[in-house]
Amino acid sequence: MGRKRSRKEPLSRTQLEQGAHPQFNQSQQLNSDAYNMAYNQMLNIALSRFKWLNLPKTCDAWFLEYNLLYFGYATIAFPNSQKGIFYSTHAVTESNYNVYYRPRKWWSYGLNGWRFPVNNNNGVFVYSNSARTPLIPTIRFFAHEIEDLYMVRRQNRFHQKIPFILETPPAQENAAVQLLKEMSGGELAIMATNGFSDSMRAQVLQTGVKYIGAEVQQDIQNTWNNFYLALGISNIPVMKTERQTSTEIKTLNEPSDMRALSELNARREACDTLNTRFEKYLSEPIQVVWNEDNYSDNYNYWNNIERQMGADDDLA
């Protein structure tokens, strides 16, 4: 018995004109790209806020921050078979919590099968912030907000293009399509078809939609500023256009400063516990600070001094 062949539907005229490839709806892809762009940018900012100092070489500061960001907690600990060899990994709780809602026992865990038991004798349980909550839901929320605003701006720009209806006889359809393609691309439209202009009729659709690009852009900036506030990054909201006093700026930055301290204090508490409990295993005390690009500042400072000295020598 021969194999039954499935009957394929013939391609439409539109598909044939596009090289026999079906039309792809880009709206979903554009929305996804806008969300991923905002999410990745926010994720990079969130992971770059803190700098760990004197962390043991066997620890990974990025992986530590990654777990604090996604889960709200992590651990810095050493296996009993490797006294004083610390690792910064994901933590999985095993026991009930004490009166202060801290686990008595937990596991240092990895997706590759890595795991060893931890308690207060060989490690520290690290929290991400005072609320002990992950930050990823906040990043997702603001990424969706930015995505939605980008879509509003795109739709608003679309309505400014004044869509119109072009009526032609069926025999002139291909010529009309070619005319629209050239016009939408900003090209000169030259039609050599006899009687085309006589049989064509155009009608403009007045949408009456006002262009709100400036308002949407301000909304986007304010959304980013609210995101910075959620991460503890100082910024000035786009609300007041006139000059602001130092007191006003300080007042606006107080919420972000408190938010940053919530994360810094949680990490510093873990550092203090490590430095006190395992001092004999550490060459220097572990610290965590707000991340800044001091390397570039120092380079620019000394480089400017050398240039100034060279300029002085030329003038001498």
Side-chain angles (χ1 to χ4, degrees):
M1 183 176 179
R3 185 175 60 180
K4 184 178 180 181
R5 298 182 181 274
S6 59
R7 183 178 179 182
K8 296 183 179 181
E9 294 293 331
L11 294 173
S12 65
R13 176 181 297 179
T14 303
Q15 293 171 342
L16 289 172
E17 292 174 352
Q18 295 174 350
H21 292 291
Q23 177 75 17
F24 177 69
N25 188 352
Q26 295 183 345
S27 297
Q28 184 177 359
Q29 184 65 46
L30 288 172
N31 293 347
S32 178
D33 289 344
Y35 172 82
N36 289 332
M37 180 199 67
Y39 180 87
N40 291 333
Q41 187 171 348
M42 293 175 179
L43 186 62
N44 277 284
I45 293 174
L47 287 171
S48 303
R49 292 173 299 159
F50 304 103
K51 184 175 183 179
W52 291 79
L53 305 176
N54 306 321
L55 199 64
K57 294 182 179 180
T58 49
C59 292
D60 189 317
W62 173 85
F63 192 62
L64 178 60
E65 286 297 327
Y66 178 87
N67 279 277
L68 293 175
L69 189 69
Y70 273 87
F71 303 103
Y73 52 81
T75 185
I76 301 177
F78 59 82
N80 291 322
S81 59
Q82 295 177 290
K83 294 289 186 180
I85 307 299
F86 291 91
Y87 300 95
S88 54
T89 67
H90 177 52
V92 177
T93 58
E94 182 188 35
S95 66
N96 295 330
Y97 287 68
N98 63 17
V99 67
Y100 299 114
Y101 296 139
R102 290 183 174 274
R104 295 186 177 92
K105 298 178 181 179
W106 62 94
W107 288 86
S108 173
Y109 179 80
L111 294 177
N112 63 344
W114 170 280
R115 61 183 298 173
F116 63 85
V118 187
N119 54 40
N120 292 332
N121 295 322
N122 66 324
V124 170
F125 201 82
V126 187
Y127 284 107
S128 176
N129 48 59
S130 299
R132 302 176 181 179
T133 55
L135 196 60
I136 283 298
T138 300
I139 293 178
R140 292 197 188 107
F141 171 79
F142 280 107
H144 280 298
E145 288 289 294
I146 294 296
E147 173 207 355
D148 183 65
L149 287 170
Y150 282 166
M151 296 304 105
V152 170
R153 186 169 63 181
R154 180 177 291 111
Q155 288 296 321
N156 185 247
R157 288 202 307 259
F158 169 79
H159 287 291
Q160 307 311 309
K161 297 176 183 179
I162 311 179
F164 57 89
I165 298 175
L166 188 64
E167 297 181 7
T168 61
Q172 304 287 356
E173 180 180 354
N174 291 336
V177 170
Q178 184 63 31
L179 173 65
L180 291 176
K181 288 182 179 179
E182 293 180 1
M183 292 175 59
S184 62
E187 302 176 15
L188 293 175
I190 300 176
M191 304 305 299
T193 306
N194 294 328
F196 179 76
S197 59
D198 297 333
S199 60
M200 179 184 66
R201 186 173 61 178
Q203 179 182 356
V204 177
L205 298 179
Q206 297 293 341
T207 61
V209 177
K210 180 183 176 182
Y211 183 63
I212 55 173
E215 292 84 350
V216 175
Q217 182 59 38
Q218 180 172 333
D219 200 356
I220 291 174
Q221 186 59 54
N222 280 329
T223 302
W224 275 107
N225 289 337
N226 287 330
F227 168 73
Y228 298 145
L229 171 63
L231 264 64
I233 301 174
S234 299
N235 65 93
I236 305 299
V238 183
M239 295 183 299
K240 185 179 178 182
T241 57
E242 62 268 19
R243 188 173 182 179
Q244 294 176 322
T245 65
S246 59
T247 303
E248 289 175 324
I249 295 175
K250 182 179 179 181
T251 301
L252 289 172
N253 283 334
E254 279 183 356
S256 62
D257 293 342
M258 299 303 295
R259 184 64 182 85
L261 283 175
S262 172
E263 307 244 356
L264 275 170
N265 289 339
R267 289 162 174 78
R268 286 171 176 169
E269 182 180 356
C271 290
D272 292 341
T273 304
L274 279 167
N275 296 331
T276 302
R277 190 178 297 169
F278 306 109
E279 181 181 5
K280 63 180 180 180
Y281 297 125
L282 302 174
S283 57
E284 294 182 83
I286 300 175
Q287 300 177 6
V288 61
V289 296
W290 194 256
N291 197 15
E292 292 181 346
D293 185 15
N294 295 321
Y295 292 104
S296 295
D297 292 339
N298 292 337
Y299 172 81
N300 292 334
Y301 174 77
W302 289 110
N303 195 42
N304 288 336
I305 289 180
E306 292 176 357
R307 288 181 180 179
Q308 293 174 8
M309 293 177 62
D312 293 340
D313 292 341
D314 293 338
L315 294 175

